[in-house]
Amino acid sequence: MPAVNNVLVVGAGLAGAGVAIHLATRGVAVDLLDIKPEVAALGSGITLQGNALRELRSLGVWDQVQEAGYVFDVTGIRAPDPFGTVVAEIPDAKTGGPDLPAAMGMPRPELAHILLDRATEVGVKVRLGTTFTELSQDEDGVDVTFSDGSTGRYDVVVGADGLRSWTRRALGINLETKSVGMGIWRAFGPRPASVTRTDLYYGGPSYIAGYCPTGEDSLYAYIVEDAQDRSALTPDEQLATMKQLSQAYHGPWDEIRETLTDPSRVNYTWFETHVLDEPWNRGRVVLIGDAAHTCPPTIAQGGAMALEDAVVLAELLVERTALDQDLWDAFMARRYERAKTVVDASNQLAQWQLDHVQGDIPSLMRSIAMLTSQPA
């Protein structure tokens, strides 16, 4: 008999949907709630490396993900010169195994819909536009009061509610989330035929200017600058600012720039980071994904780490027969150092760029590839 019979998951992002799907397919009753009234995701696209694809396959959604996204096995490095000259082509490590692509891009909202549809298919009870107002736990379970006045009792509550997790705050955990010092402009638009992989431009007036194909007809483009308050800009001014910053970059950027016409498809956020010291649980309530660890997207591993948390936690909850300290210790043994290493590497790469230091980026990336090529 598994350690749990029913579980509440708070937050329907990658970590939340992932753990809900895995538990439900093993016969656990799961309620999955999200405060947002409909499936949505901030940003425009997401880059998923092989270890993320491995976990998506384990969730039973690989066919849909592959159909919705755009796969590639090489990352290009271009110069910020008048021609966007290619200066390097780096084969991406197949960290998910030889039978999966090294990487792929896809629209974030599309991935969210695929995961929520899969959750519903396997019997997860999805409740959108709902959150909890009170958690009260004892040795045998957790009593939960919801924002609509209803109540429930669960063996475990999983807080997968993101960077500014309400579950984390409800547990009284004070975790400082810091700005890395960079801000990123992202835009979603059509894919020119010249864009068949991720290309990164280092240097010029911004730290990075890049793009990633997300489908046959779509991509997301991004520019990284010093973090600053851009909140006073109107949508039209945001679009104009991103286009102005892109003027220094050429090659495919010249085509991309001409397609950036819709202000609603542009957003700006800061790179932020934190890692919660172990343990990530307080009694029967546990934090995963961005609620426990978050990193700047410099090595595109945030989504993968969230999915790995989900897989490992679900595995332990259904394969162990008791919800005891040994289970929580096993979870931390498999997740804490691995997630912290990825966060530290992401921050190190960002700091090199802030300091204009020519760090050994290939060695850093090889180290992360070696780590993530092993199952979580």
Side-chain angles (χ1 to χ4, degrees):
M1 215 179 142
V4 295
N5 294 307
N6 70 333
V7 172
L8 172 67
V9 181
V10 183
L14 296 186
V19 73
I21 292 166
H22 273 297
L23 289 171
T25 57
R26 299 290 293 273
V28 177
V30 183
D31 286 354
L32 174 63
L33 59 90
D34 198 289
I35 194 169
K36 296 184 290 292
E38 59 184 29
V39 175
L42 178 64
S44 46
I46 185 170
T47 301
L48 299 164
Q49 295 184 358
N51 56 320
L53 304 183
R54 178 177 60 214
E55 307 310 346
L56 289 168
R57 181 172 61 185
S58 76
L59 290 167
V61 297
W62 169 237
D63 288 343
Q64 300 97 304
V65 166
Q66 185 175 25
E67 184 178 353
Y70 194 103
V71 303
F72 53 93
D73 293 315
V74 174
T75 293
I77 307 297
R78 291 179 179 261
D81 63 21
F83 309 102
T85 303
V86 176
V87 297
E89 294 181 315
I90 304 172
D92 295 314
K94 291 196 170 189
T95 56
D99 57 339
L100 286 170
M104 72 176 297
M106 69 179 301
R108 282 178 178 269
E110 184 68 20
L111 179 57
H113 280 290
I114 288 171
L115 289 173
L116 263 293
D117 286 347
R118 175 62 173 162
T120 301
E121 177 187 334
V122 298
V124 175
K125 182 180 178 182
V126 179
R127 302 172 63 182
L128 301 179
T130 306
T131 188
F132 69 88
T133 57
E134 186 177 354
L135 299 175
S136 176
Q137 60 177 310
D138 55 38
E139 290 185 0
D140 299 319
V142 186
D143 292 308
V144 182
T145 302
F146 297 101
S147 54
D148 61 4
S150 62
T151 60
R153 184 171 172 83
Y154 301 89
D155 295 326
V156 164
V157 173
V158 180
D161 46 348
L163 185 70
R164 310 194 198 287
S165 169
W166 173 245
T167 309
R168 190 176 68 230
R169 283 179 283 170
L171 292 172
I173 297 173
N174 294 317
L175 178 63
E176 183 181 5
T177 303
K178 299 179 180 179
S179 168
V180 172
M182 293 174 164
I184 183 168
W185 291 98
R186 292 184 177 96
F188 189 70
R191 180 185 70 87
S194 59
V195 175
T196 58
R197 65 188 185 199
T198 281
D199 282 335
L200 300 169
Y201 298 65
Y202 289 106
S206 302
Y207 294 109
I208 310 169
Y211 43 77
C212 177
T214 54
E216 286 300 319
D217 302 313
S218 66
L219 61 64
Y220 77 99
Y222 48 91
I223 296 177
V224 180
E225 62 172 10
D226 285 315
Q228 51 195 293
D229 185 358
R230 296 290 198 176
S231 61
L233 298 181
T234 67
D236 285 336
E237 289 171 336
Q238 289 187 338
L239 174 61
T241 299
M242 184 172 182
K243 293 187 73 169
Q244 188 275 324
L245 289 170
S246 76
Q247 294 290 335
Y249 304 100
H250 301 284
W253 257 110
D254 290 327
E255 296 178 86
I256 294 168
R257 185 164 43 252
E258 295 305 310
T259 69
L260 300 181
T261 59
D262 185 351
S264 71
R265 293 192 161 197
V266 175
N267 70 70
Y268 183 74
T269 57
W270 284 11
F271 285 3
E272 295 181 285
T273 186
H274 64 227
V275 179
L276 178 63
D277 288 338
E278 56 182 323
W280 293 347
N281 74 296
R282 300 295 184 270
R284 291 173 171 265
V285 183
V286 61
L287 303 172
I288 64 172
D290 280 352
H293 50 81
T294 193
C295 56
T298 47
I299 60 174
Q301 275 289 315
M305 290 299 102
L307 288 166
E308 287 186 1
D309 283 356
V311 171
V312 173
L313 179 61
E315 177 186 310
L316 291 169
L317 290 175
V318 298
E319 292 186 357
R320 299 293 182 100
T321 58
L323 189 71
D324 55 18
Q325 191 58 46
D326 285 345
L327 184 151
W328 298 122
D329 289 346
F331 181 54
M332 284 293 87
R334 291 175 61 181
R335 293 309 304 151
Y336 180 74
E337 286 298 333
R338 184 175 173 108
K340 185 177 184 299
T341 298
V342 167
V343 173
D344 288 346
S346 301
N347 288 329
Q348 183 177 23
L349 182 51
Q351 193 61 52
W352 283 346
Q353 292 162 3
L354 285 164
D355 294 340
H356 304 286
V357 172
Q358 296 300 311
D360 191 353
I361 295 175
S363 291
L364 180 68
M365 299 306 291
R366 282 195 296 271
S367 296
I368 293 301
M370 289 179 62
L371 173 71
T372 56
S373 63
Q374 301 300 315

